[in-house]
Coordinates of all heavy atoms in Angstrom, one line a residue:
M10 N 2.9 -15.1 -9.5 CA 3.6 -13.9 -9.5 C 2.7 -12.7 -9.6 O 1.8 -12.7 -10.7 CB 4.8 -13.9 -10.4 CG 5.9 -14.6 -10.0 SD 6.8 -13.9 -8.4 CE 8.4 -14.5 -8.7
T11 N 2.9 -11.6 -9.0 CA 2.3 -10.4 -9.3 C 3.4 -9.3 -9.6 O 4.3 -9.2 -8.9 CB 1.5 -9.8 -8.0 OG1 0.6 -10.7 -7.6 CG2 0.8 -8.6 -8.4
H12 N 3.1 -8.6 -10.7 CA 3.9 -7.6 -11.1 C 3.5 -6.3 -10.4 O 2.4 -5.8 -10.7 CB 4.0 -7.4 -12.6 CG 4.9 -6.4 -13.2 ND1 6.1 -6.8 -13.6 CD2 4.8 -5.1 -13.3 CE1 6.7 -5.6 -14.0 NE2 5.9 -4.6 -13.8
I13 N 4.3 -5.7 -9.6 CA 3.9 -4.5 -8.9 C 4.7 -3.3 -9.4 O 5.9 -3.4 -9.6 CB 4.1 -4.7 -7.4 CG1 3.4 -5.9 -6.9 CG2 3.7 -3.5 -6.7 CD1 3.5 -6.2 -5.4
T14 N 4.0 -2.2 -9.7 CA 4.6 -1.0 -10.0 C 4.3 0.0 -8.8 O 3.2 0.3 -8.5 CB 4.0 -0.4 -11.3 OG1 4.1 -1.3 -12.3 CG2 4.8 0.9 -11.7
F15 N 5.4 0.5 -8.2 CA 5.3 1.5 -7.1 C 5.6 2.9 -7.8 O 6.5 3.0 -8.5 CB 6.3 1.3 -6.0 CG 6.1 0.0 -5.3 CD1 6.9 -1.1 -5.3 CD2 5.0 0.0 -4.3 CE1 6.7 -2.2 -4.6 CE2 4.8 -1.0 -3.5 CZ 5.7 -2.2 -3.7
I16 N 4.7 3.9 -7.5 CA 4.9 5.2 -8.1 C 5.1 6.1 -6.9 O 4.3 6.0 -5.8 CB 3.7 5.6 -8.8 CG1 3.5 4.6 -10.0 CG2 3.8 7.1 -9.4 CD1 2.3 4.9 -10.8
S17 N 6.0 7.0 -6.9 CA 6.3 8.0 -5.8 C 5.2 8.9 -5.7 O 4.4 9.1 -6.6 CB 7.8 8.6 -6.0 OG 7.8 9.4 -7.2
A18 N 5.1 9.6 -4.5 CA 4.1 10.5 -4.3 C 4.1 11.7 -5.3 O 3.0 12.1 -5.7 CB 4.3 11.2 -2.8
D19 N 5.2 12.1 -5.8 CA 5.2 13.1 -6.8 C 4.9 12.5 -8.3 O 4.9 13.3 -9.2 CB 6.4 14.0 -6.8 CG 7.7 13.1 -6.9 OD1 7.6 11.9 -7.3 OD2 8.8 13.6 -6.6
G20 N 4.8 11.2 -8.4 CA 4.6 10.7 -9.6 C 5.9 10.6 -10.5 O 5.8 10.2 -11.6
E21 N 7.0 10.9 -9.9 CA 8.2 11.1 -10.7 C 8.9 9.8 -10.9 O 9.5 9.5 -11.9 CB 9.2 12.0 -10.0 CG 8.6 13.5 -10.0 CD 9.0 14.1 -11.3 OE1 10.2 14.2 -11.6 OE2 8.1 14.7 -11.8
R22 N 8.9 8.9 -9.8 CA 9.7 7.8 -9.8 C 8.8 6.5 -9.9 O 7.8 6.4 -9.2 CB 10.6 7.7 -8.6 CG 12.0 8.5 -8.8 CD 12.5 8.8 -7.5 NE 11.8 9.7 -6.7 CZ 11.4 9.4 -5.5 NH1 11.8 8.4 -4.8 NH2 10.7 10.3 -4.8
R23 N 9.2 5.5 -10.7 CA 8.6 4.2 -10.8 C 9.4 3.2 -10.5 O 10.7 3.2 -10.8 CB 8.1 4.0 -12.2 CG 6.9 4.8 -12.6 CD 6.6 4.6 -14.0 NE 5.3 5.0 -14.4 CZ 4.3 4.3 -14.4 NH1 4.3 2.9 -14.2 NH2 3.0 4.6 -14.6
Q24 N 9.0 2.2 -9.8 CA 9.8 1.1 -9.5 C 9.0 -0.1 -9.7 O 7.8 -0.3 -9.3 CB 10.3 1.0 -8.0 CG 11.3 -0.1 -7.7 CD 11.7 0.2 -6.2 OE1 11.0 0.7 -5.3 NE2 12.8 -0.4 -5.9
E25 N 9.5 -1.2 -10.5 CA 8.8 -2.4 -10.8 C 9.4 -3.6 -10.0 O 10.6 -3.7 -10.0 CB 9.0 -2.7 -12.3 CG 8.8 -1.5 -13.2 CD 7.5 -1.3 -13.8 OE1 6.8 -2.4 -14.0 OE2 7.1 -0.2 -14.2
V26 N 8.5 -4.3 -9.4 CA 9.0 -5.6 -8.7 C 8.0 -6.6 -8.9 O 6.9 -6.5 -9.4 CB 9.2 -5.3 -7.1 CG1 10.3 -4.2 -6.9 CG2 7.9 -4.9 -6.6
Q27 N 8.6 -7.9 -8.7 CA 7.8 -9.0 -8.8 C 7.6 -9.6 -7.3 O 8.4 -9.6 -6.6 CB 8.5 -10.1 -9.6 CG 8.9 -9.8 -11.0 CD 7.7 -9.8 -12.0 OE1 6.6 -10.4 -11.6 NE2 7.8 -9.2 -13.0
A28 N 6.3 -10.0 -7.1 CA 6.0 -10.6 -5.8 C 5.4 -12.0 -5.9 O 4.6 -12.2 -6.8 CB 5.1 -9.6 -5.1
A29 N 5.9 -12.9 -5.1 CA 5.3 -14.2 -5.0 C 3.9 -14.3 -4.4 O 3.7 -13.4 -3.4 CB 6.3 -15.1 -4.4
A30 N 3.1 -15.1 -4.7 CA 1.8 -15.4 -4.0 C 2.1 -15.6 -2.6 O 3.1 -16.2 -2.2 CB 1.1 -16.6 -4.7
G31 N 1.3 -15.0 -1.7 CA 1.4 -15.1 -0.4 C 2.2 -14.0 0.3 O 2.2 -13.9 1.5
A32 N 2.9 -13.2 -0.6 CA 3.6 -12.1 0.1 C 2.7 -11.0 0.5 O 1.7 -10.8 -0.1 CB 4.6 -11.6 -1.0
V33 N 3.2 -10.2 1.5 CA 2.3 -9.2 1.9 C 2.9 -7.9 1.3 O 4.1 -7.6 1.3 CB 2.5 -8.9 3.6 CG1 1.8 -7.8 4.1 CG2 2.0 -10.3 4.2
L34 N 2.1 -7.0 0.7 CA 2.4 -5.8 0.0 C 3.5 -5.0 0.8 O 4.4 -4.5 0.2 CB 1.2 -5.1 -0.4 CG 1.5 -3.9 -1.3 CD1 2.3 -4.3 -2.6 CD2 0.1 -3.2 -1.8
L35 N 3.1 -4.7 2.1 CA 4.0 -3.9 3.0 C 5.5 -4.4 2.9 O 6.4 -3.6 2.7 CB 3.5 -3.8 4.3 CG 4.4 -3.1 5.3 CD1 4.6 -1.6 5.0 CD2 3.9 -3.3 6.8
E36 N 5.6 -5.8 3.0 CA 7.0 -6.3 3.1 C 7.7 -6.1 1.7 O 8.9 -5.9 1.6 CB 7.0 -7.8 3.5 CG 6.6 -7.9 5.1 CD 6.2 -9.1 5.5 OE1 6.3 -10.2 4.7 OE2 5.7 -9.3 6.5
I37 N 6.8 -6.3 0.6 CA 7.5 -6.2 -0.7 C 8.0 -4.7 -0.9 O 9.0 -4.4 -1.4 CB 6.4 -6.5 -1.8 CG1 5.9 -7.9 -1.6 CG2 7.0 -6.2 -3.1 CD1 7.0 -9.0 -1.8
A38 N 7.1 -3.7 -0.4 CA 7.4 -2.4 -0.6 C 8.7 -1.9 0.2 O 9.7 -1.3 -0.3 CB 6.2 -1.5 -0.2
Q39 N 8.7 -2.5 1.5 CA 9.9 -2.1 2.3 C 11.1 -2.9 1.7 O 12.2 -2.2 1.7 CB 9.7 -2.7 3.8 CG 8.7 -1.7 4.4 CD 8.4 -2.3 5.9 OE1 8.4 -3.4 6.2 NE2 8.0 -1.3 6.7
A40 N 11.1 -4.0 1.2 CA 12.2 -4.8 0.7 C 12.7 -3.9 -0.6 O 14.0 -3.9 -0.9 CB 11.9 -6.1 0.3
A41 N 11.8 -3.2 -1.2 CA 12.2 -2.5 -2.4 C 12.6 -1.1 -2.1 O 13.1 -0.3 -2.9 CB 10.9 -2.4 -3.4
G42 N 12.7 -0.8 -0.7 CA 13.1 0.5 -0.3 C 12.1 1.6 -0.4 O 12.5 2.8 -0.3
Q43 N 10.8 1.3 -0.6 CA 9.8 2.3 -0.6 C 9.6 2.9 0.8 O 9.7 2.1 1.8 CB 8.5 1.7 -1.0 CG 8.4 1.3 -2.4 CD 8.5 2.4 -3.4 OE1 8.0 3.5 -3.1 NE2 9.2 2.3 -4.5
P44 N 9.2 4.2 1.0 CA 9.2 4.8 2.2 C 8.0 4.5 3.0 O 7.1 5.4 3.3 CB 9.3 6.4 1.9 CG 8.7 6.5 0.6 CD 9.1 5.1 -0.1
L45 N 7.8 3.3 3.4 CA 6.6 2.9 4.2 C 7.1 2.5 5.5 O 7.9 1.4 5.6 CB 5.7 1.8 3.6 CG 5.1 2.1 2.3 CD1 4.4 0.9 1.6 CD2 3.9 3.2 2.6
E46 N 6.7 3.1 6.6 CA 7.1 2.6 7.9 C 6.6 1.3 8.4 O 7.3 0.5 9.0 CB 6.8 3.8 9.0 CG 8.2 4.6 9.2 CD 8.0 5.7 10.2 OE1 7.2 5.5 11.2 OE2 8.5 6.7 10.0
G47 N 5.2 1.3 8.3 CA 4.7 0.0 9.0 C 5.0 -0.2 10.4 O 5.4 -1.2 10.8
T48 N 4.8 0.9 11.2 CA 5.3 1.0 12.5 C 4.6 -0.1 13.4 O 5.3 -0.8 14.2 CB 4.9 2.3 13.2 OG1 5.2 3.3 12.3 CG2 5.5 2.5 14.5
C49 N 3.5 -0.6 13.2 CA 2.8 -1.6 14.1 C 3.0 -2.9 13.4 O 2.4 -3.9 14.0 CB 1.4 -1.2 14.2 SG 0.3 -1.7 12.9
E50 N 3.7 -3.1 12.4 CA 4.0 -4.4 11.8 C 2.7 -5.2 11.6 O 2.7 -6.4 11.8 CB 5.0 -5.2 12.6 CG 6.3 -4.5 12.6 CD 7.2 -5.1 13.7 OE1 6.9 -6.0 14.5 OE2 8.5 -4.7 13.5
G51 N 1.7 -4.6 10.9 CA 0.5 -5.3 10.5 C -0.5 -5.5 11.6 O -1.5 -6.3 11.4
Q52 N -0.5 -4.8 12.7 CA -1.4 -4.9 13.7 C -2.7 -4.1 13.6 O -3.5 -4.0 14.4 CB -0.8 -4.7 15.1 CG 0.4 -5.5 15.5 CD 0.1 -7.1 15.4 OE1 -0.9 -7.4 16.1 NE2 0.7 -7.8 14.7
M53 N -2.7 -3.3 12.5 CA -3.7 -2.2 12.2 C -3.8 -1.3 13.3 O -4.9 -0.9 13.7 CB -4.9 -2.9 12.0 CG -5.1 -3.4 10.4 SD -6.8 -3.7 9.9 CE -7.1 -5.3 10.6
A54 N -2.7 -0.8 13.9 CA -2.7 0.1 14.9 C -2.0 1.4 14.5 O -1.8 2.2 15.4 CB -2.0 -0.5 16.2
C55 N -1.6 1.5 13.2 CA -1.1 2.7 12.8 C -1.6 2.9 11.4 O -2.4 2.1 10.9 CB 0.4 2.6 12.8 SG 1.1 1.6 11.4
S56 N -1.2 3.9 10.7 CA -1.6 4.0 9.3 C -0.4 4.3 8.4 O -0.5 4.9 7.3 CB -2.8 4.9 9.1 OG -2.4 6.2 9.6
T57 N 0.8 4.0 9.0 CA 2.1 4.4 8.2 C 2.3 3.5 7.1 O 3.3 3.6 6.4 CB 3.3 4.4 9.2 OG1 3.4 3.1 9.7 CG2 3.0 5.5 10.3
C58 N 1.5 2.5 6.8 CA 1.6 1.6 5.7 C 0.7 1.8 4.6 O 0.5 1.1 3.7 CB 1.5 0.2 6.2 SG -0.2 -0.3 6.7
H59 N 0.0 3.0 4.7 CA -1.1 3.5 3.8 C -0.5 3.6 2.4 O 0.5 4.3 2.1 CB -1.7 4.8 4.3 CG -2.5 5.6 3.4 ND1 -2.3 6.9 3.2 CD2 -3.4 5.2 2.4 CE1 -3.3 7.3 2.2 NE2 -3.9 6.3 1.8
V60 N -1.2 3.1 1.5 CA -0.8 3.2 0.0 C -2.2 3.5 -0.7 O -3.3 3.2 -0.3 CB -0.1 2.0 -0.6 CG1 1.2 1.7 0.0 CG2 -1.0 0.7 -0.5
I61 N -2.0 4.0 -2.0 CA -3.2 4.4 -2.8 C -3.0 3.4 -4.0 O -2.0 3.4 -4.7 CB -3.1 5.8 -3.1 CG1 -3.2 6.7 -1.9 CG2 -4.3 6.1 -4.2 CD1 -3.0 8.1 -2.2
I62 N -4.1 2.5 -4.1 CA -4.0 1.6 -5.2 C -4.6 2.3 -6.5 O -5.6 3.0 -6.4 CB -5.0 0.5 -4.8 CG1 -4.6 -0.2 -3.5 CG2 -4.9 -0.7 -5.9 CD1 -3.2 -0.8 -3.4
D63 N -4.1 1.9 -7.6 CA -4.6 2.5 -8.8 C -6.1 2.1 -9.0 O -6.5 0.9 -8.7 CB -3.8 1.8 -10.0 CG -4.2 2.4 -11.4 OD1 -3.8 3.5 -11.7 OD2 -5.0 1.7 -12.0
A64 N -6.9 3.0 -9.4 CA -8.4 2.9 -9.5 C -8.7 1.7 -10.3 O -9.7 0.9 -9.9 CB -9.1 4.1 -10.1
A65 N -8.0 1.3 -11.4 CA -8.4 0.1 -12.1 C -8.1 -1.1 -11.5 O -8.6 -2.2 -11.7 CB -7.6 0.3 -13.4
D66 N -7.0 -1.1 -10.6 CA -6.6 -2.3 -9.9 C -7.3 -2.5 -8.6 O -7.4 -3.7 -8.1 CB -5.1 -2.2 -9.6 CG -4.1 -2.3 -10.8 OD1 -4.7 -2.8 -11.8 OD2 -3.2 -1.8 -10.8
F67 N -7.8 -1.5 -8.0 CA -8.5 -1.5 -6.7 C -9.5 -2.7 -6.6 O -9.5 -3.5 -5.6 CB -9.1 -0.2 -6.4 CG -9.6 -0.1 -4.9 CD1 -8.8 0.0 -4.0 CD2 -11.1 -0.1 -4.7 CE1 -9.1 0.1 -2.7 CE2 -11.4 -0.1 -3.4 CZ -10.6 0.1 -2.3
P68 N -10.4 -2.9 -7.6 CA -11.5 -4.0 -7.5 C -10.9 -5.4 -7.5 O -11.5 -6.3 -7.1 CB -12.3 -3.8 -8.7 CG -12.0 -2.4 -9.3 CD -10.7 -2.0 -8.9
K69 N -9.6 -5.4 -8.0 CA -8.9 -6.9 -8.0 C -8.6 -7.4 -6.5 O -8.5 -8.5 -6.4 CB -7.6 -6.7 -8.6 CG -7.6 -6.4 -10.2 CD -6.2 -6.4 -10.6 CE -6.1 -5.8 -12.1 NZ -4.7 -5.6 -12.4
L70 N -8.5 -6.4 -5.6 CA -8.2 -6.8 -4.3 C -9.5 -7.0 -3.5 O -10.5 -6.5 -3.8 CB -7.4 -5.6 -3.5 CG -6.1 -5.2 -4.3 CD1 -5.5 -3.9 -3.6 CD2 -5.1 -6.4 -4.2
G71 N -9.4 -7.9 -2.5 CA -10.6 -8.2 -1.7 C -10.9 -6.9 -0.9 O -10.3 -5.9 -0.9
K72 N -12.1 -6.9 -0.4 CA -12.6 -5.7 0.4 C -11.8 -5.6 1.7 O -11.4 -6.5 2.3 CB -14.1 -5.9 0.8 CG -15.0 -5.1 0.1 CD -16.4 -5.4 0.4 CE -17.0 -4.4 1.6 NZ -16.9 -3.0 1.6
A73 N -11.6 -4.3 2.0 CA -11.0 -4.0 3.4 C -11.9 -4.4 4.5 O -13.1 -4.3 4.4 CB -10.6 -2.5 3.4
S74 N -11.4 -4.8 5.6 CA -12.1 -5.2 6.8 C -12.5 -3.9 7.4 O -11.9 -2.8 7.1 CB -11.3 -6.0 7.7 OG -10.3 -5.2 8.2
E75 N -13.6 -4.0 8.3 CA -14.0 -2.7 8.9 C -12.9 -2.0 9.7 O -12.8 -0.8 9.8 CB -15.2 -3.0 9.9 CG -16.4 -2.3 9.4 CD -17.7 -2.8 10.2 OE1 -17.7 -2.4 11.5 OE2 -18.4 -3.6 9.7
A76 N -12.0 -2.9 10.5 CA -11.0 -2.4 11.2 C -10.1 -1.6 10.3 O -9.5 -0.6 10.6 CB -10.2 -3.4 11.9
E77 N -9.8 -2.1 9.0 CA -8.9 -1.5 8.2 C -9.5 -0.1 7.7 O -8.8 0.9 7.7 CB -8.6 -2.4 7.0 CG -7.6 -1.6 6.0 CD -7.3 -2.5 4.7 OE1 -7.6 -3.7 4.7 OE2 -6.7 -1.9 3.8
E78 N -10.8 -0.2 7.4 CA -11.4 1.1 7.1 C -11.3 2.1 8.1 O -11.0 3.3 7.9 CB -12.9 0.8 6.7 CG -13.2 -0.1 5.6 CD -13.2 0.6 4.3 OE1 -12.8 1.7 4.2 OE2 -13.4 -0.1 3.2
D79 N -11.5 1.8 9.3 CA -11.5 2.7 10.5 C -10.1 3.3 10.5 O -9.9 4.5 10.7 CB -11.7 2.0 11.8 CG -13.3 1.7 11.9 OD1 -14.0 2.1 11.1 OD2 -13.6 0.9 12.8
M80 N -9.0 2.5 10.3 CA -7.7 3.0 10.5 C -7.4 3.9 9.3 O -6.7 5.0 9.4 CB -6.7 1.8 10.4 CG -5.3 2.1 11.0 SD -5.3 3.1 12.4 CE -5.8 1.9 13.6
L81 N -8.0 3.6 8.1 CA -7.8 4.5 6.9 C -8.4 5.8 7.0 O -7.8 6.8 6.4 CB -8.3 3.8 5.6 CG -7.4 2.6 5.1 CD1 -8.3 1.9 4.0 CD2 -6.2 3.2 4.5
D82 N -9.5 5.9 7.8 CA -10.1 7.2 8.1 C -9.1 8.1 8.8 O -9.2 9.3 8.7 CB -11.2 7.1 9.0 CG -12.4 6.5 8.3 OD1 -12.5 6.5 7.1 OD2 -13.4 6.0 9.0
L83 N -8.1 7.6 9.5 CA -7.2 8.4 10.2 C -5.9 8.7 9.4 O -5.0 9.6 9.8 CB -6.7 7.7 11.5 CG -7.7 7.3 12.5 CD1 -7.1 6.5 13.6 CD2 -8.4 8.5 13.0
A84 N -5.8 8.0 8.2 CA -4.5 8.2 7.5 C -4.6 9.5 6.7 O -5.7 10.0 6.2 CB -4.4 7.0 6.5
A85 N -3.4 10.2 6.7 CA -3.3 11.5 6.0 C -3.4 11.1 4.4 O -3.0 10.2 4.0 CB -2.0 12.0 6.3
A86 N -4.1 12.0 3.8 CA -4.3 11.9 2.4 C -4.9 10.7 1.9 O -4.6 10.2 0.8 CB -2.9 12.1 1.7
A87 N -5.8 10.2 2.8 CA -6.5 8.9 2.2 C -7.5 9.2 1.1 O -8.0 10.2 1.0 CB -7.2 8.2 3.4
T88 N -7.6 8.3 0.2 CA -8.5 8.5 -0.9 C -9.4 7.3 -0.9 O -9.3 6.3 -0.2 CB -7.8 8.5 -2.3 OG1 -7.4 7.1 -2.5 CG2 -6.6 9.4 -2.3
R89 N -10.3 7.2 -2.0 CA -11.3 6.1 -2.1 C -10.6 4.9 -2.4 O -11.2 3.7 -2.2 CB -12.4 6.4 -3.1 CG -13.5 7.3 -2.4 CD -14.6 7.4 -3.4 NE -14.1 7.9 -4.7 CZ -14.5 7.5 -5.9 NH1 -15.2 6.4 -5.9 NH2 -14.0 8.0 -7.0
T90 N -9.4 4.8 -3.0 CA -8.8 3.6 -3.2 C -7.5 3.4 -2.4 O -6.6 2.8 -2.7 CB -8.3 3.5 -4.8 OG1 -7.4 4.6 -5.0 CG2 -9.5 3.7 -5.7
S91 N -7.6 3.9 -1.3 CA -6.6 3.6 -0.2 C -6.7 2.3 0.5 O -7.9 1.9 0.6 CB -6.6 4.8 1.0 OG -6.2 6.1 0.5
R92 N -5.5 1.8 0.8 CA -5.5 0.5 1.5 C -4.3 0.5 2.5 O -3.4 1.4 2.3 CB -5.4 -0.7 0.6 CG -6.6 -1.1 -0.2 CD -7.7 -1.5 0.5 NE -7.5 -2.6 1.4 CZ -7.7 -3.9 1.0 NH1 -8.2 -4.2 -0.2 NH2 -7.5 -4.9 1.9
L93 N -4.4 -0.2 3.5 CA -3.3 -0.5 4.3 C -2.4 -1.6 3.6 O -3.0 -2.8 3.6 CB -3.7 -0.9 5.7 CG -4.4 0.2 6.5 CD1 -4.8 -0.3 7.8 CD2 -3.6 1.5 6.7
S94 N -1.3 -1.4 3.3 CA -0.4 -2.4 2.6 C -0.1 -3.5 3.5 O 0.0 -4.7 2.9 CB 0.8 -1.7 2.0 OG 1.6 -1.2 3.1
C95 N -0.2 -3.5 4.8 CA 0.1 -4.6 5.6 C -1.1 -5.6 5.5 O -0.9 -6.8 6.0 CB 0.4 -4.3 7.0 SG -1.1 -3.6 7.9
Q96 N -2.3 -5.2 5.0 CA -3.4 -6.0 5.0 C -3.6 -6.7 3.6 O -4.6 -7.4 3.4 CB -4.7 -5.3 5.3 CG -4.6 -4.7 6.7 CD -4.4 -5.8 7.8 OE1 -5.1 -6.8 7.9 NE2 -3.4 -5.6 8.6
I97 N -2.7 -6.4 2.7 CA -2.8 -7.0 1.3 C -1.9 -8.0 1.0 O -0.7 -7.9 1.2 CB -2.5 -5.8 0.3 CG1 -3.7 -4.7 0.5 CG2 -2.7 -6.3 -1.2 CD1 -3.5 -3.5 -0.5
V98 N -2.6 -9.2 0.9 CA -1.7 -10.5 0.7 C -1.8 -10.7 -0.8 O -3.0 -10.9 -1.4 CB -2.2 -11.6 1.5 CG1 -1.3 -12.9 1.2 CG2 -2.1 -11.3 3.0
L99 N -0.7 -10.9 -1.5 CA -0.8 -11.0 -2.9 C -1.2 -12.5 -3.3 O -0.9 -13.4 -2.6 CB 0.4 -10.6 -3.6 CG 0.7 -9.1 -3.2 CD1 2.1 -8.8 -3.4 CD2 0.0 -8.2 -4.1
D100 N -1.9 -12.6 -4.3 CA -2.1 -14.0 -5.0 C -2.1 -14.1 -6.4 O -2.0 -12.9 -7.1 CB -3.4 -14.7 -4.4 CG -4.7 -14.1 -5.0 OD1 -4.8 -13.8 -6.2 OD2 -5.5 -13.8 -4.2
D101 N -2.0 -15.3 -7.0 CA -1.7 -15.2 -8.5 C -2.9 -14.7 -9.4 O -2.7 -14.5 -10.5 CB -1.3 -16.7 -8.8 CG 0.1 -17.0 -8.4 OD1 0.9 -16.1 -8.2 OD2 0.4 -18.3 -8.2
K102 N -4.0 -14.5 -8.7 CA -5.1 -13.9 -9.5 C -4.9 -12.6 -9.9 O -5.5 -12.0 -10.8 CB -6.4 -14.1 -8.6 CG -7.0 -15.5 -8.6 CD -8.4 -15.6 -8.0 CE -8.0 -15.7 -6.5 NZ -9.1 -15.8 -5.5
V103 N -4.0 -11.8 -9.0 CA -3.7 -10.5 -9.4 C -2.4 -10.4 -10.2 O -1.4 -10.6 -9.5 CB -3.6 -9.7 -8.1 CG1 -3.3 -8.2 -8.4 CG2 -4.9 -9.8 -7.3
A104 N -2.5 -10.3 -11.4 CA -1.3 -10.3 -12.3 C -0.5 -9.1 -12.2 O 0.7 -9.1 -12.2 CB -1.6 -10.5 -13.7
S105 N -1.1 -8.0 -12.0 CA -0.3 -6.7 -11.9 C -1.2 -5.7 -11.0 O -2.3 -5.8 -10.8 CB -0.2 -6.1 -13.2 OG -1.5 -5.7 -13.7
L106 N -0.4 -4.8 -10.4 CA -0.9 -3.9 -9.4 C -0.1 -2.7 -9.5 O 1.2 -2.6 -9.4 CB -0.7 -4.5 -8.0 CG -1.5 -4.1 -6.8 CD1 -3.1 -4.3 -7.2 CD2 -1.2 -4.9 -5.6
T107 N -0.7 -1.6 -9.5 CA 0.0 -0.3 -9.5 C -0.3 0.5 -8.2 O -1.6 0.5 -7.9 CB -0.4 0.6 -10.7 OG1 0.0 -0.1 -11.9 CG2 0.3 2.0 -10.7
V108 N 0.7 0.8 -7.4 CA 0.5 1.3 -6.1 C 1.2 2.6 -5.9 O 2.4 2.8 -6.3 CB 1.2 0.4 -5.1 CG1 1.0 0.7 -3.6 CG2 0.5 -1.1 -5.4
R109 N 0.5 3.7 -5.5 CA 1.2 4.9 -5.3 C 1.5 5.1 -3.7 O 0.6 4.8 -2.9 CB 0.2 6.1 -5.6 CG 0.9 7.4 -5.6 CD -0.1 8.5 -6.1 NE -0.2 8.3 -7.7 CZ 0.4 9.2 -8.5 NH1 1.1 10.2 -8.1 NH2 0.2 8.9 -9.8
V110 N 2.7 5.4 -3.5 CA 3.2 5.5 -2.2 C 3.0 6.9 -1.7 O 3.6 7.9 -2.4 CB 4.6 5.0 -1.9 CG1 5.1 5.3 -0.5 CG2 4.7 3.6 -2.3
P111 N 2.2 7.4 -0.7 CA 1.8 8.7 -0.5 C 3.1 9.6 -0.1 O 2.9 10.8 0.0 CB 0.8 8.6 0.6 CG 0.4 7.3 0.7 CD 1.4 6.4 0.2
G112 N 4.1 9.0 0.4 CA 5.3 9.9 0.8 C 5.4 9.9 2.2 O 4.6 9.2 2.9
E113 N 6.3 10.6 2.7 CA 6.7 10.5 4.0 C 6.2 11.4 5.0 O 6.4 11.5 6.3 CB 8.3 10.6 4.2 CG 8.9 9.3 3.6 CD 10.4 9.4 3.4 OE1 10.8 9.9 2.4 OE2 11.2 9.0 4.3
C114 N 5.3 12.3 4.4 CA 4.9 13.5 5.3 C 4.0 13.1 6.5 O 4.0 13.6 7.5 CB 4.0 14.5 4.5 SG 2.7 13.6 3.6
H115 N 3.3 11.7 6.3 CA 2.5 11.3 7.4 C 3.3 10.6 8.6 O 2.8 10.1 9.5 CB 1.5 10.4 6.9 CG 2.0 9.2 6.2 ND1 2.1 8.0 6.7 CD2 2.5 9.2 4.8 CE1 2.5 7.1 5.9 NE2 2.8 7.8 4.7
N116 N 4.6 10.6 8.4 CA 5.4 10.0 9.4 C 6.1 11.0 10.3 O 7.0 10.8 11.1 CB 6.4 9.1 8.8 CG 5.9 8.0 8.1 OD1 4.8 7.6 8.4 ND2 6.5 7.4 7.2
M117 N 5.7 12.3 10.2 CA 6.3 13.3 10.9 C 5.9 13.6 12.4 O 6.5 14.3 13.1 CB 6.1 14.7 10.1 CG 6.5 14.7 8.7 SD 8.3 14.7 8.5 CE 8.7 16.3 8.6
Q118 N 4.7 12.9 12.7 CA 4.4 13.2 14.1 C 5.4 12.7 15.0 O 6.0 11.7 14.9 CB 2.9 12.6 14.4 CG 2.8 11.1 14.5 CD 2.3 10.5 13.2 OE1 2.9 10.5 12.2 NE2 1.1 10.0 13.2
G119 N 5.5 13.5 16.0 CA 6.6 13.1 17.1 C 7.9 13.7 16.7 O 8.9 13.4 17.5
M120 N 8.0 14.3 15.7 CA 9.4 14.8 15.3 C 9.6 16.3 15.9 O 8.6 17.0 16.0 CB 9.7 14.8 13.8 CG 9.9 13.4 13.4 SD 10.2 13.3 11.6 CE 11.9 13.8 11.5
Ligands
FES21 FE1 0.3 -0.4 11.0 FE2 -0.3 -1.5 8.6 S1 1.6 -1.5 9.5 S2 -1.5 -0.5 10.1

């Protein structure tokens, strides 16, 4: 199990959830009602699943693939500890993870 803490973009709201090994972070976040669109459903063709991993937790996750890095370059408000949540599969080695959800502003295109 991984204990995940989601923090809202403004830092105001926290939500704690448990995730089983093998779960994808995007799906956990969506099930918890976090505002992540995940438009391409894990195909790495959008960046609406972008999250910012706590700096202390970032090294616990495997390295992002080159394709993921390329997509993160396009994400609004990306940081050095940004990841695409659809590419993060949880395992029991990661006991806890703190994840900041950047908010909905990057989903405004086309509106
Ligand atoms: Fe589109 Fe993750 S859901 S890149």
